[in-house]
Amino acid sequence: MTTHANWLLDRLEWLIEGRERSLFGNVWNVKAFFAPKTTLGSLDAEAASALIETVADVALIIDAHGVIRDRAFQSEELAAELEGGKDWIGRRWIDTVTIESQAKVTALLNDAADSAPSRQRHINHPSVTGVDVPVLYSTTRLGRTRNVVACGRDLRIVSTLQRRLLDAQQSMERDYTRLRQVETRYRLLFQMSPDPVLIVDALTQKIVEANRAATRMLESRGLRLTSRGVTEIFTAESQLAIQALLAGMRVSPRGEEVRAELAGQGGDVRVSAALFRQEEANFYLVRLAAAEKTPAGDAAHTPQALFARLAAKSADGIVVTDGAGVTQVANPAFLEMAELATVEQARGERLDRWMGRLGIDLDILLGNLRQRGNVRLYATKLRGEFGAEMDVEVSAASLGEGDADGFGFTIRDVGRRPGSERKPVLELPRSVEQLSELIGRVSLKELVRESTDMIERLCIEAALEVTSDNRASAAEMLGLSRQSLYVKLRRYGLGDLDEAKE
């Protein structure tokens, strides 16, 4: 190994003397040591072998005939997989690699003959497990001798990662191909279906897509589908039925079929819908089918269609809003109360634009609807677009759980009732629950007075109960004179007011 040590020193000298400038011409090649004789000193064979064993996972010493004369392994795991190369010594290096790597071995030995470091090449060795072991080799000649040292780096981890990456890429390509095939079949089925089908965004209720049959049906009636709400293709009388159908799909996945009339040139159709989810968004699949003509007087209409007809012809205003109180659909009676020409003027506006005090009454109603589910006979006012005002009573109910399905409001004009010109006398509340129902109907000053009266009455009732209806004792307990107690008893209508019994 002394020859090997001398070769290393000569090799380092060659690297220093042969250093080259970079493409810029003013930067020295940083791959070579500047003063190897000074820094490395006298390097013997043992130090050289230790150095080679340290920098390489596997190292081979090969003679001029390509025969392996010595070998060393840094990794015990690699040595075990290659059986420690026990049968390599005395064999040609080219015989220890796989067939496809033999040409690379020849190239590495030829490169080493030029006394310059060879380029790195990927060589595969057969292993005891049957799986080839990849090693990245580079060769260089040992000084003035004809022996060559081959230093190899274990590439099993890199090979494993490459194999996993390839498997993942192939899996993604298979999934992508399968999705494309499913999408193609869906498109073909969707477009060739003889029934008109619409895809509707569940949040905005706008038509996202329509098949050919739906496009032909609606365009023949003068209806365009571009950025249009699904309820807009129906008449005003049918819009409430469609809105109720779509809202019911959130509660029950199987909604009943409804009967509706298309806008434009008209025509009755049967409408059914299904709710599905795609890319974190909800959509309705709405199917339209021509309605069969029924004989006159035949009551074959569905309950939903009859209810929609009742809502359209009702004298009370009916409004459906979303969870924030924004109007979605309204019947003709409400449009007349609010002095509106079309339902499009009401859609998208909060109901308190016309009903009650802005930001107060509607918020009170929504809060009670979220807690209780319904509100009855809430007294407030309704303002028209042109300044007309009327006294109304509002009853409301939640259309589902929470705000997702919205709320329904029934608004009745009570201004024309007999005696409505007189200010209504509010009955004195007998509990906190009754008192809370007055909030929004009377002013804060009246609420405070009513609260004081309620507390005073409750205290008198409690004193009479404790004293077994002894009014003298009750007056003393309350810190009142007997005459003051009688005045309050008359005011609240409590007990027998015949003073002769006292």
Side-chain angles (χ1 to χ4, degrees):
M1 295 297 289
T2 304
T3 304
H4 296 164
N6 293 334
W7 168 81
L8 288 175
L9 293 176
D10 294 340
R11 178 66 179 156
L12 293 173
E13 280 185 2
W14 177 83
L15 289 173
I16 295 174
E17 293 174 357
R19 56 192 176 187
E20 301 173 348
R21 292 182 177 272
S22 67
L23 294 175
F24 297 102
N26 58 356
V27 180
W28 291 105
N29 186 356
V30 297
K31 294 184 178 180
F33 289 111
F34 287 104
K37 291 184 177 180
T38 303
T39 55
L40 296 178
S42 178
L43 195 64
D44 57 10
E46 292 183 357
S49 63
L51 177 62
I52 295 174
E53 293 172 2
T54 301
V55 299
D57 293 325
V58 56
L60 306 176
I61 305 299
I62 306 166
D63 63 12
H65 301 289
V67 177
I68 299 175
R69 295 303 179 187
D70 204 351
R71 87 289 179 268
F73 289 92
Q74 181 185 17
S75 170
E76 295 181 0
E77 183 182 355
L78 179 61
E81 194 161 351
L82 295 176
E83 293 185 315
K86 61 183 180 180
D87 59 345
W88 286 7
I89 298 177
R91 293 178 59 191
R92 294 192 308 165
W93 185 21
I94 199 171
D95 296 332
T96 64
V97 301
T98 58
I99 297 177
E100 69 275 4
S101 299
Q102 291 179 354
K104 297 179 183 179
V105 169
T106 303
L108 284 170
L109 294 175
N110 292 335
D111 292 344
D114 298 334
S115 299
S118 65
R119 57 176 292 189
Q120 294 178 328
R121 297 181 184 273
H122 185 162
I123 304 296
N124 291 325
H125 288 283
S127 68
V128 295
T129 61
V131 179
D132 294 342
V133 177
V135 180
L136 187 66
Y137 279 104
S138 62
T139 58
T140 187
R141 187 174 177 181
L142 290 173
R144 297 182 179 85
T145 67
R146 300 185 63 185
N147 289 348
V148 174
V149 60
C151 297
R153 184 187 304 167
D154 186 5
L155 294 182
R156 287 178 302 168
I157 296 178
V158 177
S159 179
T160 301
L161 292 177
Q162 290 176 343
R163 185 167 59 252
R164 290 180 180 176
L165 178 61
L166 181 61
D167 292 342
Q169 185 175 4
Q170 292 177 346
S171 177
M172 290 177 61
E173 291 178 356
R174 288 193 297 269
D175 292 342
Y176 179 73
T177 302
R178 187 160 49 250
L179 288 175
R180 288 293 300 270
Q181 293 173 352
V182 171
E183 183 179 2
T184 301
R185 290 194 292 268
Y186 158 74
R187 291 286 178 187
L188 184 62
L189 178 62
F190 180 71
Q191 293 297 338
M192 295 191 65
S193 173
D195 296 330
V197 180
L198 306 174
I199 305 297
V200 179
D201 189 334
L203 182 61
T204 62
Q205 294 192 358
K206 289 187 178 296
I207 299 174
V208 176
E209 193 173 358
N211 67 349
R212 296 173 185 172
T215 303
R216 287 195 299 266
M217 170 186 280
L218 298 177
E219 288 184 351
S220 65
R221 291 168 169 78
L223 300 174
R224 293 187 177 182
L225 303 180
T226 306
S227 300
R228 193 161 192 169
V230 66
T231 57
E232 297 177 17
I233 67 175
F234 299 97
T235 61
E237 293 79 7
S238 301
Q239 288 181 1
L240 280 174
I242 300 301
Q243 192 74 30
L245 171 67
L246 298 182
M249 294 305 302
R250 295 180 178 272
V251 180
S252 174
R254 294 185 178 181
E256 295 186 10
E257 199 173 61
V258 300
R259 206 177 180 95
E261 183 180 359
L262 292 173
Q265 298 180 7
D268 289 344
V269 291
R270 292 179 289 111
V271 185
S272 58
L275 182 67
F276 68 95
R277 188 171 182 83
Q278 180 179 352
E279 295 181 357
E280 300 183 358
N282 292 328
F283 295 90
Y284 293 115
L285 184 70
V286 180
R287 176 179 170 271
L288 309 177
E292 299 85 359
K293 294 184 179 180
T294 56
D298 187 4
H301 296 305
T302 62
Q304 290 80 1
L306 294 175
F307 181 78
R309 189 174 302 173
L310 172 63
K313 296 183 178 181
S314 173
D316 295 335
I318 299 176
V319 182
V320 176
T321 71
D322 62 9
V326 177
T327 304
Q328 301 296 313
V329 65
N331 71 339
F334 175 79
L335 299 179
E336 182 180 354
M337 292 178 180
E339 300 178 337
L340 299 174
T342 63
V343 70
E344 284 75 16
Q345 292 178 302
R347 186 179 290 116
E349 300 287 343
R350 271 179 59 95
L351 187 56
D352 57 359
R353 174 175 175 177
W354 305 282
M355 187 188 73
R357 292 164 292 177
L358 186 63
I360 298 178
D361 287 357
L362 181 59
D363 291 342
I364 293 173
L365 285 169
L366 295 179
N368 281 275
L369 287 172
R370 294 185 183 103
Q371 293 179 0
R372 305 177 184 177
N374 62 77
V375 174
R376 293 188 300 171
L377 304 179
Y378 182 89
T380 185
K381 290 184 177 294
L382 186 73
R383 302 176 304 278
E385 283 290 306
F386 302 107
E389 272 194 9
M390 64 181 69
D391 294 328
V392 294
E393 284 181 349
V394 181
S395 297
S398 175
L399 300 181
E401 295 183 2
D403 297 349
D405 302 317
F407 306 104
F409 295 84
T410 302
I411 304 171
R412 173 168 296 180
D413 180 9
V414 296
R416 289 172 291 184
R417 288 180 177 177
S420 61
E421 295 80 5
R422 300 189 303 270
K423 182 178 180 180
V425 179
L426 296 174
E427 182 183 355
L428 188 64
R430 298 188 58 85
S431 66
V432 177
E433 289 77 9
Q434 293 178 356
L435 182 64
S436 64
E437 293 179 358
L438 297 178
I439 296 176
R441 301 174 61 182
V442 298
S443 65
L444 179 62
K445 182 179 179 180
E446 294 176 350
L447 281 176
V448 172
R449 186 177 65 251
E450 297 292 346
S451 301
T452 304
D453 292 345
M454 181 184 67
I455 295 172
E456 189 175 55
R457 185 188 63 199
L458 292 175
C459 291
I460 294 174
E461 289 178 344
L464 290 174
E465 184 178 355
V466 169
T467 60
S468 300
D469 204 23
N470 188 324
R471 298 177 184 178
S473 300
E476 183 178 357
M477 181 180 295
L478 294 171
L480 299 174
S481 65
R482 186 182 297 182
Q483 189 63 31
S484 298
L485 178 61
Y486 288 148
V487 171
K488 295 183 182 296
L489 290 175
R490 290 191 183 93
R491 178 181 178 184
Y492 300 129
L494 297 175
D496 187 0
L497 299 181
D498 188 1
E499 297 184 15
K501 293 182 180 180
E502 292 295 330

